[in-house]
Amino acid sequence: VIAMKVAGLILAGGQAQRMGGVDKGLQLLDGKPLVQQVIERVAPQVDGLWVSANRLFDAYQSLAYPVFSDEVVFQGMGPLAGIASFAEHIPEAFTHVQIVPCDTPFLPLDMCARLKRRLKTILAFRNFTGGVFPQTELGAQYGCALVTRAQVTLAQQCLQNQQRSVQSWLAHAHAVPVTDFIEADFANINTFEQLAHAHHLRSSPHPLFEVNHA
């Protein structure tokens, strides 16, 4: 049996330019901040949880999980900066990292378990040091990848080489897709209009919504 201890990493350090620069993770959906919605879905799936945030630390720390900001050298370099900066905070005991964005409040409750099963299957057949990510009919969900802690260090190297794309980093990491996920589960909220209509998505996909393939 391949032992995995998974650290959950919620990326909440974005600038939310399409929402006028508000802190997206703290915007309310059904009376709860988006980041709280994500926490409630992800925390039971992982062995520990951290939040990457670059402002309003008191608000994020009130959620009762460790909060850290981007390393100075990586500031302003996008979501990969939060991943790379986690290298300085992840305890030694954790073998893998489950990444999730703070603006995806409908994530599957079994996402990490399904990704872990696939990763263990691959490891059983070959020496594999990469990661896995959900794949739907309409595209890859790179922002919800499950990777080894070594790939977090690789994210640092990518940024040092001015490669800021999460997709590019996962390609370097030789990450592979895990299919049969549902597109609507990964809908992310980028505008106030989407936020206002988000509750409709619980029962059926809505054309207002986009999916975070970044």
Side-chain angles (χ1 to χ4, degrees), residues 19-78:
M19 292 179 115
V22 301
D23 195 290
K24 189 191 294 187
L26 299 178
Q27 301 308 299
L28 298 182
L29 171 63
D30 295 339
K32 294 180 183 177
L34 283 175
V35 67
Q36 181 67 40
Q37 304 268 359
V38 174
I39 285 172
E40 291 177 1
R41 300 185 82 82
V42 174
Q45 303 189 50
V46 295
D47 302 301
L49 190 64
W50 284 258
V51 179
S52 165
N54 288 318
R55 50 183 167 159
L56 301 176
F57 295 108
D58 288 347
Y60 279 104
Q61 288 172 337
S62 72
L63 300 169
Y65 290 95
V67 181
F68 67 93
S69 60
D70 292 347
E71 296 293 311
V72 173
V73 67
F74 299 138
Q75 286 180 1
M77 300 181 80

Side-chain angles (χ1 to χ4, degrees), residues 187 193-194 197 200-201 204-211:
E193 185 183 18
Q194 292 170 347
H197 291 82
H200 294 306
L201 196 63
S204 62
H206 192 283
L208 277 172
F209 290 88
E210 305 160 35
V211 175

Side-chain angles (χ1 to χ4, degrees), residues 12 17 33 60 81 86-87 138 155 183 188:
Q17 294 177 345
Y60 279 104
F86 191 41
L138 297 182
E183 188 81 2
N188 69 315

